[in-house]
Structure formats: C-alpha cells, structure tokens
Amino acid sequence: KYRTYQEEEGEDPWSPFEDEEEWDLAHWLVKNLGQTWTEEFLKLPITQNRSRLSFHNNRSFLQRVDKLPRGPGWSCKKVTVRGNVEDEKGEMLQEEVELWSRDPVECVKELIGNPAFKEHMAYSPAKAYADRAGQHRVINEMWTGDWWGEKQNALPEGATIAPIILSSDKTSLSQFRGDKSAWPVYMSIGNIAKAKRRQASARATILIGYLPASKLDCFTPDARSLAGYCLFHHCMTLLLQPLIGAGNDGVEMVCADSWVRRVYPILAAYVADFPEQCLVSCCKENQCPKCLVAANERGDALNSAMRDPESTKEILHKRKIGQHPLEFEANGLRAVYKPFWADLPHADIFLAFTPDLLHQLHKGVFKDHLVKWCIDIIGEDEMDARFKAIPNYPGLRHFKKGISSVKQWTGREHKEMQRVFVGLLSGAVPSRVLVVARSILDFSYYAQLHIQTTESLDAQQNALTVFHANKDILKELAVREHFNIPKLHQLSHYVQSITLFGAADGFNTELPEHLHIDFAKDSYRASNKRDYEEQMALWLQRQEAVFIRSAYLDWLSQQPHSNPHNVDADSDTDSESETPHLPAAEPLQPTHVLAKVPAHPHQSVHTIITAHGATEFLPALRSFLLKNLPRNTIVPGLQDRFDLYCQVVIVTPPDLRVSDVPKRRRIRATPEKLPSGRKPGTPAQFDMALIADRPRSSHLHTLEGIFLLSFSAVNFDNSLVAGVRVAQVRAIFTLPRQFGAYPRALAYVEWFTPFKPPDPSSRMRQVSRSTRQLRRNAAVVHVDEIVRPCHLIPRMGQSVDLRLRSGNAYEVANDFYFNEFIDGEMFCTCVIK
C-alpha cells in the first residue's frame, strides 16, 4: 500500500531524504548519536563542504525524520490524585501525574499486519500430536494450547482471535544518583511465533504506555500502598479502554498475508514478576495471585480452587457499598473497587499469569532456597571447594573462587550453577536431600522446554510430587521450619499454564527486562532528564519511524521488479492460511569442522606423548592401522611427525525441544602453554566426548579449504548406554603421507568404562577410567565418530579432596558422574522418555 502511494506521488523509496546514501547516513545518526552530537557532526566543515546534505543542522534533520511513516501515535492523559495529607491551609494535598499511552487496538493492527511476520503468524487454534493416532499431544506455540480453542468456540463463526500478551515492570532510570523511574507496559500477540516474539530486534513486542511512577507523597505511609494499587488500575483502565469494544465486536484488520479478517483482541496472558502479579490481581503479597490457597498452606501439595473474576468483582462491589463480606479477608483482597480487567471481554486475569522462569525458578526456588539450604547443610567453604573442583567444559562458567564471593547475580549465573549442581552435591548431603535437589533441577529443565508433550508435562508434575514427598528431610535437619514459600507454590501452576498457553519460553520475564534497555533506559539517556516522559515518547517515535522505513526498504528489495503493483500475484491460487507456513529447512546433518591449517604442524611422537599425555599413542596407532589399512607395511615409530589440531567443532542440527538454531560445540585437545613474558600461560584442555562404539560411514567435504567430515546421526536413544561411550580426547591429528592418502582426521582417545547403573539418589550414571594391564585403555578413532562433547563430575565424597582442582580433576579422580544437566540437549537425550 505504501509502495503504491510512493509510486503515485513520484517519490523515491528513501524519501524524504535525497538519495540512498543520505538515508543510510540518517539511519546511522538516529541509531547512534544523540541530538547534541548530531548537531556537532552536521556543523563540521568536512560535513558541510563535502557531503552536500539536504539538512544542515539537527533541527532540519529531525524535521525530515518526522515526515517518515510511524507507528501508532502517543497521547498524554493527566490524572489528578487526591491524597489524605493536609497542607498548611488545611486542604488535602493532590498530585497530578501523566499517563503516556498508545491505542492498543492500533498496535494490534500494526503487529498482525506486519508483512515481516507473515511466515511466523497463525490465525486459528490447532492441536498437534507426535503420532498419527493422536495419543501423544504436543504443545509449543500459543495456538496449540487449550485457551485459544476454548475462546474460539465462544466467538462468532469466522472470528479471528488476537491473544493479547501484556507485560509490565517498574524499572529505575537513573544510575548512581537520583531516583527517576519508569513503568513501561509492553504488548505482543500470540499469533506471532514465540521464537520471533523473543527477538527484541524483531519488534514483535512493542511499548504501549508509560504508567506514572509517582511516590504519592500526598498520602500517609500507611495509605500509600493501597493508593498505588488504585492508581495502577485506574491508569491501566484508561490505557486498555479501546480493547473493550474491540474484544466485544471485533475490528476488521489487514493481516500479514494480505487477507482482511475480523479480529477480536482478547487479553490472554500477563507476564510479570510476583509482586506485580499481586498488584494486577488486587491481592496481598502473602497470597497466591492465581488461586485461593490459604496463606499458611502454600508449601503443601494442594490443588486449590482458582480465583474467579466474577466472584472477585462481586466481593469488591460488596465491600465498596459498605458490606463486609468474609471472603474479602479470606481471599486476601485489596480494596481496589474497579480493577482494570473488570470489563475486558472474555478475559480471566488469574489464569493469565504465566510462569516466571527467571524470578520464580532460577532466582527464587533454586538460588534463594535450594542453594541456601545446601550451604546450611555442608557449609560455605565446602560448597566453594566443590565449585572450584568442577572440570572445565567449553562454554561452562567456572566459579574459580567459589560462589560465596559473587556479589551480583544474574539469571545467567543461576543457570550456570544448575548445570553442575546435582553432581556437585552427590556424596556431600544426605540421600533424601539429593533427591530434593534432583527433583527441583528436573522440574527446572522440564519447564524450560520449548516443545512440551503429554509425557514431559507428566514428568514435570512428577518431579514436583517427588520434591513434596521428600522435602521434610530439610525440617529434620533443622534447615527449614516450613515451606510456606510463595515462589515454591507458584510451581504448582506451571503445568496448567503451559497446557493453556503453550510452552513457558514464550512468556519469560527476561524479555521485558531486556526491552527496558531500548524503551526505558536508552530513551531516558536521550532526554535532558526534565519532563522526560514526553521526550522519551518522542525519541521512541523517531526510532520506530526509522526502523519501519528500514524494514520497508528491506522488504522492497525482496519484491519482484517485473510487476511492482501486484504484490500478491499468486493470491488466486493460494488458499487462506490459518496456520503459519514456516520455511522448510533442508535437513542438516551433523558436521565436524577442522581448521584449514593445523595449529601445530609436523609434531614429533615424543611431543604427542609428553605434552598431550598420549602415553599409548604408538600402540594405539598401530592397532588402528592394522584394522583400517591392512595393506599398509609401514610401522609408525618415534621418527614420524604428525599435524595436530587444537580442536574440532561439531555442528549439530537443533534439538527443537530446547533450541531452534544449530549448535556449534567444541572439543579441545590443547596442551599446557607456559607463561611467556607478559602473556600468562594457559592450562591444558583435553575434553571429554561421547564416541560411537560401532563403525560409521563418512565422506570428506571441503569448504574453502576447511575440512568438513559429515556423518549420519547416531541412534542416540534415551537410555544413552547403547551406541556411545565416554572417552577423553588427547590429540587430534591427520596421518602423514607415508601412510597413504587417508582423508579422515583421527583422534587419540582414552576410554572410560561403559555406563554403570545410575546412583539411586542423584539418578546420575557413573563411569570410571578404563585400564588394560594397569595402563590406560586408549585407542585411535576417526574424528567423525565423535558424537558430541560431554562433561564428567568427579565423585568427591563427603568432603572434597584438597588436591582436586578444575585443571587436574580428570587426572586426580578416577570415578565420575556423567553430567546430564550440562545442556538442554543432553538432558533431553538422557532423561526424557
């Protein structure tokens, strides 16, 4: 539509700028420079004399930017708050605050009609199954959950639902000094695939308002909290008012596939942390915002009745007219007589609260509770010593000083701790405590799955059941007196929420916190810090206008030039799309990548034996040659030299249960590097790997001189013991020419024993060093037989051996736990049935 307008008006695609180069400069200025620096740049003599721009200062530049098409406009509403504190004249103090907002219905039109989301959009519910018989249900996107189907049945035939996903979170703007705050409200729609919604750069979640973040000094301290509740709901009512009519009657919208549909925007999900959930649900913070569990029973495995919007509104109304219903106190309600969700059609605000993986699970139950309980049992020094002794693994954070010295925690540190926590605890805590820890980690990993099934949800619920069955051991050890923990209780609602709205990764509070950088903190820094809300809205409007024009130019470059007016030339043959037609990706085979040039060419056998610790290199190589090159007559000896590589990178297809992008995993075989001058030395890194224990077909590919050794995927069943074996990779090399032209790279590995039965408490499999005649059991294998890297955790016993360090753990220890928590793919392979 906009292209047609430009052609009719005779405009260039980059109008109102003179040409493509001037547009590129304008795009760069808006994205990278503030107004002061833009003014300075445009006044430079070299800019004025050589660039010949159509704008000469910041003011004329911004005038052109403001001519660009933009998203829904901003408006400001003044809200007068009357307090309960008298001034010196005996009159009640009052405060005027500002609500900056955009029309949410217009924002829905912007999202559902964005052609960039065409391949990632759904317009109707669907149920997915893993089998043709429909016995094993699959839940991932929002349209595969139960909520959408139930609401669809309640609307007229032909209606299209736009499930509204709201999130709000108050954030600080000033650093080091001042107390400026902003309260952004974000919105997305469940029609867009969650992988796209999670991309902050895709602009699939947009800002629709700034709520007032006033301190409300016109109220006494005891009344300020309730006044804040009321102000929040009043402003949210003003902000979401257009959704009432649109949700009742529907609005015709042009969708991303160019079809016009009658769309019903309905509030479906609300992403918020626990205090904000209580604020939205009008309940006290010692209550559950979703159900009616008693305040002193939140630590029990109960199935309490869910809160009901209609009965809650009735209780609040009775309280407003002077009655004193017993349910008001029993339900822990606050006196907010007009909640913003009261008139929103088809909405159940209590069901809308989605799992908060960051605050409830990673930071809450795991870090604030489980880790603290275990420290109370084994002591801070022992816990630190165990973290220090964890062997290195590519991409794994090593807490080289333990965890007690970490001053600032983020969600990333919490997740890194979870990757090693169960194996680290084994032997140090009583067996039932280990069962408790394992159950919480199981629940955490199940909850993070991008694709849920009936079986995974049952396993997730079972993990919580196991926790409740064993948690009393913490009371017996005097670690806890009760389990009345709000965040722990919230876990009981996860399975229901996932069944209704899809996998929890689509509703994580990490995204709103990331959006704060663009929509709050950066926009505040661009202001002069006075009356900053208006300046923030204007700055964001200009950023959005530049983003829209950039996206338009990208779209335009992909369109056929033969018939520019016929954008949908194939619309006569295509039927209306109701579920997203995601692009079919070519099947990706796991691939091994070696460097183009070996890092250490022509290395002697003596170097391999001493620097790499490959003590059985020659016997292992002779056995390999006898098996694979039976016609070879040359016997390898100390005189031979080999090209050595530092690492092999294994590129594997994505496991869609945990990721939608291919994984690149490194397996290193690098000897110790001594300090040289000012350069510090580096310790040796000989990584563990899973090796296929039966022959595998392979062929050599080359890509710009890089070796690519491809193989068909191993039959990696969930028992894990069939088909693979653990080994330590000590050298990666190629055969020298005297042995013939052998195309496949090789690795010298030291075997571990086949998997032993799992430990009964931690349920982790165990392995040990494999020996033959009191020497390490070694072999030379093809690099393409390496399935993937793996991680082992030493069996440390009740007290860690003081000799044990991260750098020497694989050499000092003999018995290990196989770490199935090292990443999501490994967990899925080992645990999920």
Side-chain angles (χ1 to χ4, degrees):
K1 183 177 179 181
Y2 184 68
R3 182 171 68 170
T4 303
Y5 166 79
Q6 280 196 321
E7 291 172 347
E8 291 175 351
E9 296 295 321
E11 292 183 354
D12 292 323
W14 41 80
S15 175
F17 298 96
E18 293 296 321
D19 51 36
E20 186 175 5
E21 290 184 350
E22 187 172 284
W23 156 251
D24 289 339
L25 175 62
H27 183 264
W28 182 84
L29 290 173
V30 171
K31 297 297 290 183
N32 297 282
L33 298 186
Q35 296 190 40
T36 301
W37 287 108
T38 299
E39 183 77 20
E40 292 288 336
F41 174 80
L42 294 176
K43 284 185 177 180
L44 289 173
I46 191 172
T47 305
Q48 294 181 342
N49 297 333
R50 297 189 185 181
S51 299
R52 302 184 182 278
L53 300 173
S54 61
F55 45 88
H56 59 281
N57 57 23
N58 183 63
R59 183 171 178 271
S60 59
F61 169 64
L62 292 180
Q63 286 175 343
R64 289 185 177 270
V65 172
D66 290 339
K67 292 179 181 179
L68 292 171
R70 63 191 66 174
W74 286 87
S75 64
C76 176
K77 296 182 177 68
K78 302 284 188 179
V79 177
T80 301
V81 181
R82 302 186 185 279
N84 63 350
V85 176
E86 295 182 352
D87 60 12
E88 53 275 4
K89 298 180 180 179
E91 299 178 355
M92 292 296 178
L93 290 176
Q94 63 182 34
E95 184 176 344
E96 190 173 70
V97 296
E98 293 180 347
L99 166 66
W100 285 87
S101 64
R102 310 162 88 179
D103 187 333
V105 175
E106 293 300 315
C107 292
V108 172
K109 289 183 181 179
E110 188 81 12
L111 288 171
I112 206 168
N114 191 335
F117 302 144
K118 178 181 178 180
E119 303 298 332
H120 309 274
M121 190 81 71
Y123 304 102
S124 64
K127 285 194 175 182
Y129 297 90
D131 62 317
R132 293 185 179 276
Q135 299 296 317
H136 303 279
R137 188 176 174 191
V138 174
I139 299 174
N140 55 349
E141 298 290 352
M142 196 170 190
W143 54 81
T144 65
D146 290 342
W147 178 90
W148 198 330
E150 293 170 2
K151 296 301 176 185
Q152 191 75 48
N153 293 333
L155 293 177
E157 184 177 355
T160 297
I161 294 177
I164 302 295
I165 304 171
L166 292 179
S167 57
S168 59
D169 183 32
K170 191 174 182 179
T171 184
S172 175
L173 297 175
S174 50
Q175 295 179 332
F176 308 117
R177 62 176 184 172
D179 55 356
K180 304 295 186 183
S181 298
W183 203 330
V185 180
Y186 304 107
M187 187 188 77
S188 186
I189 55 176
N191 309 81
I192 304 172
K194 55 190 174 68
K196 184 61 65 174
R197 294 202 310 267
R198 288 198 305 268
Q199 298 176 10
S201 60
R203 304 288 182 109
T205 299
I206 60 177
L207 180 71
I208 64 168
Y210 286 117
L211 302 178
S214 172
K215 292 184 177 181
L216 298 179
D217 292 328
C218 57
F219 287 91
T220 56
D222 60 326
R224 198 167 293 154
S225 174
L226 179 58
Y229 268 60
C230 295
L231 177 61
F232 170 86
H233 281 271
H234 178 71
C235 292
M236 286 291 287
T237 300
L238 297 176
L239 176 63
L240 303 180
Q241 182 69 29
L243 291 180
I244 298 176
N248 280 318
D249 305 324
V251 177
E252 287 194 349
M253 299 185 186
V254 180
C255 298
D257 59 358
S258 301
W259 286 80
V260 178
R261 295 179 174 87
R262 179 160 290 277
V263 176
Y264 290 73
I266 299 173
L267 176 60
Y270 202 114
V271 181
D273 58 17
F274 182 76
E276 195 108 350
Q277 289 181 6
C278 295
L279 171 64
V280 171
S281 63
C282 306
C283 76
K284 300 175 182 177
E285 291 190 17
N286 67 343
Q287 299 285 328
C288 173
K290 291 178 70 73
C291 74
L292 296 173
V293 63
N296 60 350
E297 295 179 346
R298 287 176 295 178
D300 299 331
L302 301 175
N303 291 319
S304 301
M306 299 296 292
R307 293 180 182 268
D308 178 65
E310 295 303 321
S311 62
T312 301
K313 288 189 289 185
E314 183 180 353
I315 294 169
L316 291 173
H317 176 71
K318 290 180 179 179
R319 178 80 174 191
K320 179 181 179 181
I321 61 177
Q323 299 180 17
H324 298 280
L326 297 177
E327 297 89 347
F328 183 85
E329 294 296 336
N331 295 355
L333 296 175
R334 304 292 298 268
V336 180
Y337 301 128
K338 187 65 174 176
F340 75 84
W341 39 263
D343 296 327
L344 292 178
H346 312 291
D348 186 334
I349 194 63
F350 306 116
L351 286 179
F353 298 127
T354 54
D356 180 2
L357 299 178
L358 176 63
H359 297 100
Q360 293 172 355
L361 206 49
H362 300 314
K363 182 182 182 301
V365 174
F366 175 72
K367 172 60 175 63
D368 293 344
H369 296 293
L370 178 61
V371 174
K372 182 180 181 300
W373 299 338
C374 294
I375 290 176
D376 290 343
I377 293 172
I378 69 175
E380 190 175 84
D381 292 341
E382 179 67 21
M383 183 68 77
D384 284 342
R386 288 175 173 265
F387 271 104
K388 293 176 186 178
I390 294 296
N392 194 282
Y393 179 85
L396 174 67
R397 169 165 179 178
H398 176 227
F399 295 90
K400 59 184 178 181
K401 295 182 180 179
I403 60 173
S404 61
S405 61
V406 179
K407 301 301 181 185
Q408 186 171 0
W409 291 93
T410 66
R412 180 170 182 176
E413 278 82 27
H414 302 148
K415 296 173 189 175
E416 292 295 305
M417 290 172 63
Q418 291 178 37
R419 297 174 71 181
V420 300
F421 198 68
V422 174
L424 170 147
L425 280 183
S426 297
V429 297
S431 59
R432 287 182 63 195
V433 175
L434 198 56
V435 171
V436 166
R438 171 77 198 218
S439 64
I440 289 177
L441 267 295
D442 278 345
F443 187 94
S444 175
Y445 274 65
Y446 279 118
Q448 295 175 68
L449 293 180
H450 295 189
I451 298 177
Q452 297 281 1
T453 64
T454 307
E455 291 75 19
S456 67
L457 291 175
D458 289 343
Q460 183 176 337
Q461 190 63 47
N462 182 65
L464 191 59
T465 302
V466 171
F467 167 80
H468 283 295
N470 292 273
K471 67 177 187 274
D472 285 345
I473 182 62
L474 299 170
K475 289 183 179 180
E476 297 170 14
L477 295 173
V479 173
R480 286 291 302 182
E481 295 181 358
H482 63 84
F483 293 94
N484 185 27
I485 302 169
K487 292 176 181 177
L488 177 60
H489 169 74
Q490 293 302 308
L491 305 189
S492 65
H493 297 299
Y494 274 37
V495 170
Q496 179 198 38
S497 183
I498 292 170
T499 304
L500 285 172
F501 301 113
D505 66 297
F507 306 99
N508 206 340
T509 53
E510 291 184 58
L511 176 61
E513 295 201 358
H514 182 75
L515 293 175
H516 286 341
I517 299 173
D518 294 329
F519 294 130
K521 300 182 187 297
D522 285 351
S523 57
Y524 175 74
R525 282 193 286 268
S527 72
N528 63 9
K529 315 302 186 289
R530 295 187 297 273
D531 298 325
Y532 52 87
E533 291 95 344
E534 181 178 4
Q535 298 173 57
M536 290 167 66
L538 181 58
W539 183 86
L540 287 169
Q541 186 169 270
R542 287 168 174 161
Q543 294 285 328
E544 188 176 59
V546 169
F547 175 82
I548 291 173
R549 172 53 60 89
S550 180
Y552 168 71
L553 292 174
D554 289 342
W555 172 83
L556 200 61
S557 66
Q558 300 170 8
Q559 301 307 303
H561 297 286
S562 57
N563 189 5
H565 293 284
N566 188 9
V567 178
D568 295 308
D570 60 347
S571 60
D572 291 337
T573 58
D574 286 350
S575 61
E576 181 174 347
S577 172
E578 292 296 347
T579 55
H581 293 287
L582 302 180
E586 295 183 4
L588 178 64
Q589 293 296 322
T591 304
H592 290 63
V593 182
L594 291 176
K596 178 180 179 180
V597 178
H600 306 289
H602 309 301
Q603 296 297 301
S604 67
V605 172
H606 177 74
T607 299
I608 296 175
I609 293 174
T610 56
H612 289 257
T615 55
E616 303 299 310
F617 180 75
L618 286 177
L621 182 57
R622 290 169 190 152
S623 298
F624 174 86
L625 293 175
L626 185 63
K627 179 180 178 182
N628 293 274
L629 295 173
R631 297 182 180 180
N632 171 67
T633 58
I634 301 176
V635 178
L638 294 174
Q639 74 281 358
D640 293 312
R641 291 182 174 272
F642 299 83
D643 292 342
L644 299 184
Y645 296 84
C646 287
Q647 65 179 13
V648 57
V649 177
I650 303 179
V651 184
T652 57
D655 185 333
L656 297 179
R657 293 172 292 184
V658 293
S659 175
D660 52 9
V661 295
K663 291 291 185 181
R664 296 175 58 88
R665 294 189 175 89
R666 294 183 297 141
I667 298 177
R668 303 162 298 180
T670 58
E672 180 183 11
K673 189 175 183 179
L674 299 175
S676 176
R678 299 180 64 181
K679 292 184 178 180
T682 56
Q685 303 288 356
F686 301 114
D687 289 330
M688 297 292 171
L690 290 174
I691 314 291
D693 64 359
R694 51 182 177 266
R696 301 157 57 77
S697 61
S698 167
H699 56 279
L700 179 68
H701 298 274
T702 59
L703 177 63
E704 297 180 349
I706 299 176
F707 289 114
L708 298 177
L709 296 156
S710 298
F711 60 92
S712 58
V714 69
N715 182 18
F716 208 73
D717 65 19
N718 287 330
S719 67
L720 191 69
V721 295
V724 292
R725 189 170 170 184
V726 176
Q728 186 175 24
V729 180
R730 286 197 169 270
I732 302 170
F733 63 98
T734 53
L735 283 177
R737 291 187 178 273
Q738 63 264 31
F739 295 99
Y742 197 74
R744 300 167 71 180
L746 306 176
Y748 172 87
V749 302
E750 294 177 347
W751 293 111
F752 282 67
T753 60
F755 291 103
K756 302 174 185 177
D759 174 77
S761 300
S762 68
R763 305 205 314 278
M764 298 184 76
R765 296 172 178 87
Q766 304 173 70
V767 293
S768 302
R769 284 276 181 187
S770 178
T771 59
R772 282 185 177 178
Q773 299 178 349
L774 302 180
R775 300 177 70 87
R776 289 189 174 180
N777 183 11
V780 170
V781 301
H782 295 106
V783 163
D784 54 50
E785 292 174 6
I786 302 175
V787 178
R788 57 154 293 162
C790 66
H791 187 240
L792 304 182
I793 297 177
R795 290 183 59 183
M796 304 181 200
Q798 189 170 0
S799 180
V800 66
D801 186 340
L802 296 179
R803 298 176 301 158
L804 208 59
R805 291 288 183 269
S806 177
N808 67 5
Y810 286 147
E811 307 303 322
V812 173
N814 187 66
D815 301 317
F816 300 86
Y817 292 107
F818 181 81
N819 186 9
E820 54 204 38
F821 291 99
I822 192 62
D823 55 48
E825 290 86 352
M826 186 68 81
F827 179 82
C828 289
T829 301
C830 298
V831 178
I832 296 181
K833 301 296 187 289

